[in-house]
Each structure stands twice: as structure tokens, then as C-alpha cells.
Amino acid sequence: MPHVVPRFRLRGRHRTGPATVLLAVACALALTSCTGEPAPEDASADGGIPALSENRLQVLEDTPAPELPVTVESVVLDPYRTSADPLEYEEVEVTDASRVLPLTGGLAEIVFTLGLGDQVVGRDVAATFDEASDLPVISEGHDVSAESVLALQPTVVVADTQTGPPEVIEQIQRSGVPVVIVEEAWSIDEMYPRFERVAEALGVPTAGTRLVERTRDQMAEVREASLEASADPLVAFLYLRGTAGVYLLGGPGSGADAMLAEIGARDAGVEMGLTTPFTPITTEALIEAQPDVLLVMTKGLESVGGVEGLVEIPGVAQTPAGRNAAVIDFEDGVLLNFGPRTPQVIVSLAEELAAIPDGDGGTA
């Protein structure tokens, strides 16, 4: 078996979670049965959940050919809209899905998992799963390049309300390429309509329904084992971009709060009573929060010089997480995608939290 590089890393800690907890998680993965019998060869296609470290999708089988044309609702991008303003929609007709271009990593996951990967012609930098690795990249950082998009001659572009810059999306729309813009997802419940919206836009609505049903089943499957595995740690999600001087503490609506609630962990920003998704980090806030664990994105951690640089941020060293170097990092394009791999993320996050040593040298 070839060596697989994990897409997340546990830093500064020993993986010493209780054997019974890790067995429960392993059973939830459904790679093998709990009796030791090998799983069927097509387990991943039929609902078995591969480990996140395998970095692969569970592509639906037998997806029918797209039934087109379809007319769907697309969000109208408004750069002046605030979070309090309702979304506006316009109708977009899709006549051809032979060259699909999803503009975010999360949307690419959905398109590939629906069984339309062969029609995808490019990828966002955050689409790092194996099936998309050979596609040309059309973005840098969080910004999409109109020239790179149009050079691939897509027949339909799929974006969401976070995709930008807005002027680039407008340029693509003016070129005549149908652009379907769907809502973002910042919670488990919000990801299911997103699956259905993308599937409808690409002419495969029945595949969207199947994906929703399968993902709901998988979430129910992993939830119980993950609740047992993670115990009850206090976790602070930090959004870091050291090169840009951005240091934010996650709160309600950050996305991380939903993931942590799913496994029974406590979100430090929510526990503190923060009222916005992200709040600039202050020394006082971190010391007040006293998180047991810091959850970050891999590139964000790298931007501050790794764990060593992270503990130099004022206030971090004065927390249990800082003193114990209890830091979990997930790849940027995975943790908050709220896509078909979310069950894998839940299992991996619970396993990581189960391995955190408590103050007595055991595990939390």
C-alpha cells in the first residue's frame, strides 16, 4: 500500500486516546466491520466513510447524464449587501454541462461527488483532493482570475456568495458564460440545500437527493461515536494570516462552532459570549477564554511560524492550550467546507481531540 500523507497534523502531543474510543471511531469509518471482516470493495461508493487522511472523495455511482436545459435561481452578487440584508435572486439558464468550472474547493467537492468530475475543467486552489489534483488552478489565495477562467472555455461556472472579487464574477457573466451562484454554508443544516442547488443547476437533481440522503446517514453514523470520542474540551478556533496581520477568534457563525457542537466539544468564542463570527484576538480575550485546545488552519499556522510562533502571540502562552502546545490544524480547504467530506472531518476532529492529554498526563 502506498504511503498516504495525512491532510491534517497533530502537533506537540502524543496520540494516546483510549483504545475503546479509537475503536468506536474506526467502526464509524466503516472501512472494516467491527467483527474484523473486510468491508466490501465498493464500500466507499455505497456509504462506507474513508479516513480523511486518504484525501479522496466518495463519488456516487450510476449518476445519469445531465438533463438540460434547466433554469435555476442564482444569487445576485451585491458588494454593498450586509449580512442583515436578504439575498436577491435572478434566473440563469444552463444548457451545457460538458465543461463545468466550480470556483471554490467546497463546490468542486460537490460536483465531483455527484459523479461529474470528468466534466470539470479547472479548480480553485482549495480543491486539493486527489481527484482534482491534475486540473489547472484558476485562483490565487481567495481571488479568482477572470482570464484563467475564460481561457478554460467553461460552459457553466458554479460559484457561491463568498467567491470574488465581485468585479471578476461580473466579467465572467458579461462574457456570456452562465454563472450559477449558490448560498454559502456555515453549518451542517445549510450544506444539504447546497448539494441540491448544485445538482439542480447541473441537470442531475436525483443525484443531489441521493447525496443528501447518504450524507445525512453518514452524519448520524459518526455523530454518536464522535460525541464519545471528543469528551468535552474547550476549543478556540483561530483564523490566522500572520503575513497580513490578521488574528481572529472564532465565535457564533464561524463554522467551527457548528463542527465542534457536532462532536460535543465547546467553542471558546461561543462560551465567552461573542456575538460575531470573528473577533480580533486580544491578550485579554485569550486569557479570559482559557481554551484547552487551539484549532487552526494549516496555512494560517504556517503564516505565524508554526506552533512555536503561535505561542508567541500575546495571550496564547497563558492558556492551557498554549502551555501544552495543544494545537490541531486542518488543511484550509477541508475544515469548514461543509461538503461531502464533512463526515470524514467530524471523525478526524473527534479522534484528534480524544488524544489531547489532560493536566494529569492522561487524555481529556
Side-chain angles (χ1 to χ4, degrees):
M1 178 179 292
H3 175 68
V4 178
V5 178
R7 307 311 296 181
F8 61 93
R9 296 187 292 279
L10 184 65
R11 299 174 184 268
R13 300 184 273 111
H14 297 290
R15 295 174 182 260
T16 54
T20 54
V21 169
L22 296 183
L23 176 60
V25 173
C27 289
L29 284 170
L31 292 174
T32 60
S33 73
C34 294
T35 62
E37 293 295 326
E41 290 184 4
D42 61 349
S44 65
D46 293 340
I49 307 170
L52 185 63
S53 58
E54 295 184 30
N55 196 34
R56 62 183 175 88
L57 306 180
Q58 299 170 269
V59 179
L60 292 174
E61 295 183 342
D62 303 320
T63 296
E67 296 184 6
L68 299 170
V70 295
T71 299
V72 296
E73 287 192 334
S74 173
V75 178
V76 176
L77 282 186
D78 180 359
Y80 301 106
R81 189 184 71 86
T82 69
S83 59
D85 296 329
L87 293 173
E88 296 183 1
Y89 295 84
E90 61 185 356
E91 290 189 341
V92 172
E93 184 181 34
V94 179
T95 60
D96 185 351
S98 62
R99 297 182 65 81
V100 183
L101 186 51
L103 297 187
T104 75
L107 291 171
E109 273 192 28
I110 297 171
V111 175
F112 270 84
T113 306
L114 288 171
L116 301 177
D118 287 345
Q119 283 98 291
V120 178
V121 295
R123 67 179 177 92
D124 172 61
V125 68
T128 55
F129 48 90
D130 285 349
E131 291 87 342
S133 60
D134 293 334
L135 292 172
V137 176
I138 48 81
S139 61
E140 182 176 351
H142 294 292
D143 292 341
V144 173
S145 163
E147 292 75 16
S148 297
V149 168
L150 296 176
L152 294 174
Q153 300 181 314
T155 57
V156 58
V157 169
V158 185
D160 68 23
T161 46
Q162 201 178 24
T163 310
E167 57 269 21
V168 168
I169 303 303
E170 292 174 359
Q171 183 178 345
I172 298 169
Q173 291 171 322
R174 289 196 301 270
S175 75
V177 177
V179 179
V180 178
I181 301 172
V182 302
E183 301 85 348
E184 302 166 35
W186 293 98
S187 70
I188 303 298
D189 288 341
E190 290 175 346
M191 74 179 178
Y192 300 119
R194 190 168 152 100
F195 296 172
E196 292 174 323
R197 298 263 283 115
V198 172
E200 180 188 8
L202 299 180
V204 289
T206 58
T209 301
R210 288 171 56 204
L211 179 56
V212 168
E213 292 173 348
R214 187 185 73 179
T215 307
R216 285 189 187 277
D217 289 344
Q218 290 180 343
M219 289 298 297
E221 178 185 353
V222 303
R223 185 176 291 114
E224 183 175 354
S226 297
L227 283 169
E228 177 187 358
S230 66
D232 188 30
L234 183 62
V235 183
F237 174 56
L238 305 183
Y239 181 84
L240 308 169
R241 287 297 181 264
T243 52
V246 176
Y247 306 93
L248 302 174
L249 172 62
S254 71
D257 60 326
M259 299 296 290
L260 293 168
E262 198 68 18
I263 60 177
R266 293 172 295 143
D267 182 280
V270 172
E271 295 271 320
M272 290 174 60
L274 298 181
T275 58
T276 57
F278 293 97
T279 301
I281 294 173
T282 65
T283 302
E284 294 76 17
L286 282 174
I287 294 175
E288 177 188 350
Q290 288 294 291
D292 302 310
V293 185
L294 300 178
L295 176 62
V296 298
M297 295 182 179
T298 303
K299 289 183 180 177
L301 185 62
E302 292 172 352
S303 76
V304 298
V307 173
E308 295 78 10
L310 179 59
V311 298
E312 295 297 323
I313 294 176
V316 171
Q318 286 74 49
T319 67
R323 288 192 294 270
N324 297 324
V327 180
I328 298 173
D329 69 291
F330 277 76
E331 183 182 342
D332 296 44
V334 171
L335 179 60
L336 302 181
N337 259 0
F338 290 104
R341 284 196 291 176
T342 294
Q344 299 177 38
V345 178
I346 290 292
V347 171
S348 297
L349 182 56
E351 183 179 350
E352 293 281 9
L353 290 172
I356 295 168
D358 60 24
D360 298 323
T363 52

